[in-house]
Amino acid sequence: MIFFIFLHIASAALLGERTVLTSSAVEGELLRVRYVLNNTFEHEIRNVALFDPSFTRSNVIFVEGKSKAKLTYGTIKSGKAYHVDLDMIPRSPNKIPLLIANATYELPDSSIQTIPLFSEGEINVISKRKSFLNDVKVSQVFYLWLFMCLITIVPILYSFQIRKAKNNLIKSKSS
């Protein structure tokens, strides 16, 4: 019986999930990451703060005046999950490594705990030019090519016709 109580107490933890909400990361466009923290303790935890070292000023511009990925949740009640979205704009096309983040929180006995959260990975930020080429379909390329041909060939042919008519007019006046 004591073993099961100890196991139940030891199994309680703060669980976290980091999700990239943006379908494709493109330089200069909005990148949104959602952080979800779930309290599985039987009591509330206070002063919850999350620091994610993955995003720095060198690789992103933070929206809403944030200078780093440090998020505060305040108090999370027992059995509840809360989320915070972090909006940023990637500076250049590169790979942003997703590192393990740390969460700190205060238990009811005033002890402060720090735990690592999330798995490692990376976000591949592509350039706007590559993004445009990925979005263009073959049929669109054909119509774009046809439009460009019409824009360039029709005026050239028209100018040849005008020159020919002008030469014929000059010949007819001289004869």
Side-chain angles (χ1 to χ4, degrees):
M1 180 71 168
I2 294 175
F3 174 73
F4 290 113
I5 292 173
F6 177 73
L7 183 64
H8 180 71
I9 291 171
S11 65
L14 181 65
L15 303 176
E17 179 183 357
R18 172 177 51 200
T19 308
V20 179
L21 298 177
T22 308
S23 61
S24 62
V26 178
E27 78 171 303
E29 293 184 11
L30 184 69
L31 172 66
R32 179 170 285 162
V33 178
R34 175 168 287 170
Y35 297 92
V36 178
L37 294 182
N38 187 4
N39 180 5
T40 62
F41 290 106
E42 291 184 357
H43 47 76
E44 68 180 24
I45 54 176
R46 297 183 305 269
N47 299 326
V48 181
L50 172 70
F51 175 69
D52 188 353
S54 304
F55 306 104
T56 61
R57 286 186 185 189
S58 64
N59 58 14
V60 296
I61 300 168
F62 291 97
V63 180
E64 299 175 10
K66 293 182 173 138
S67 62
K68 57 187 172 184
K70 184 173 183 181
L71 310 163
T72 55
Y73 288 78
T75 300
I76 300 178
K77 298 191 181 292
S78 174
K80 297 287 182 177
Y82 293 98
H83 76 273
V84 172
D85 292 344
L86 181 63
D87 294 337
M88 59 201 112
I89 299 170
R91 291 184 183 269
S92 62
N94 59 7
K95 293 182 190 279
I96 299 175
L98 295 176
L99 306 172
I100 295 174
N102 290 318
T104 59
Y105 55 91
E106 184 180 336
L107 294 171
D109 63 357
S110 296
S111 65
I112 297 176
Q113 301 287 322
T114 301
I115 60 165
L117 292 174
F118 314 128
S119 59
E120 296 178 314
E122 67 182 16
I123 298 174
N124 189 17
V125 179
I126 59 175
S127 69
K128 284 185 181 180
R129 183 176 34 149
K130 285 184 181 176
S131 172
F132 171 74
L133 293 176
N134 289 342
D135 294 340
V136 174
K137 296 178 183 166
V138 174
S139 62
Q140 292 172 330
V141 170
F142 173 74
Y143 289 121
L144 182 63
W145 177 80
L146 184 64
F147 178 72
M148 293 302 290
C149 286
L150 289 175
I151 283 183
T152 55
I153 293 173
V154 169
I156 292 171
L157 292 174
Y158 185 67
S159 68
F160 285 139
Q161 291 294 332
I162 291 176
R163 190 176 302 152
K164 187 177 178 182
K166 184 179 175 185
N167 287 341
N168 288 340
L169 185 62
I170 292 173
K171 284 181 184 178
S172 67
K173 284 186 179 181
S174 51
S175 14

